[in-house]
Amino acid sequence: GAVVSQHPSWVICKSGTSVKIECRSLDFQATTMFWYRQFPKQSLMLMATSNEGSKATYEQGVEKDKFLINHASLTLSTLTVTSAHPEDSSFYICSASPGYGNTIYFGEGSWLTVV
Amino acid sequence: DAKTTQPTSMDCAEGRAANLPCNHSTISGNEYVYWYRQIHSQGPQYIIHGLKNNETNEMASLIITEDRKSSTLILPHATLRDTAVYYCIVRGWANAGKSTFGDGTTLTVKP
């Protein structure tokens, strides 16, 4: 079946640095991908919609200058957490779908710990 | 997307059927019911989806009421590995994948 892969699975970075997380659709093209954040014992919260070839759409309350999203190709979206702080530590998950009405597939998630 | 309501938690004995309910009373005609589960520290896994008719696949069965205001996910023979948080999501056909997650149901399968 369709697979969405994230990299890295986990990352530790120092406060003030930036970290990039990749999301790839391995066997289908996705003009749209989605980024979620999940804090411990909480549900997934949609952060932004990544659009291939155009600007991402951010949910209310999500800082677009802090969470940079680039969707440079039909199979790759990246999320860069800039000037990371300990409160940015979370589980980041991406999702993609082969097209309208199709099943949505989620990546394995990426654990970010900012120290 | 329509709002969904699920019980916070449920227990099930290993080998028995697990029936997980979901209320989606504000569902509209073009919205599908999707079920996902999330095992600790992993991304959500697709289980099944449906519009009106009952659906079955190798993982589970989905029963949707005639008025479509509620549905039940059935895991016919629950195993310990089915312990997870189960999310019921309602979304439209035209939606390219944007999903709103509620709190889900934590299913604990016990020996």
Side-chain angles (χ1 to χ4, degrees), chain B residues 4 20 22 27 31 54 70 73-75 79:
Chain B
T4 61
L20 292 90
C22 179
I27 192 171
E31 290 183 316
N54 299 336
S70 66
L73 177 74
I74 301 172
L75 306 178
T79 70

Side-chain angles (χ1 to χ4, degrees), chain A residues 19-38:
Chain A
V19 62
K20 180 185 289 186
I21 301 170
E22 294 184 346
C23 177
R24 294 181 184 272
S25 55
L26 298 185
D27 55 1
F28 64 93
Q29 294 181 333
T31 56
T32 306
M33 293 184 176
F34 300 88
W35 286 96
Y36 295 81
R37 179 169 54 182
Q38 185 176 33

Side-chain angles (χ1 to χ4, degrees), chain B residues 12-20 47 56-62 73-79 82:
Chain B
C12 176
E14 187 178 19
R16 304 298 291 269
N19 297 285
L20 292 90
I47 301 173
T56 296
N57 63 19
E58 64 278 5
M59 290 183 67
S61 294
L62 174 61
L73 177 74
I74 301 172
L75 306 178
H77 305 286
T79 70
D82 291 323

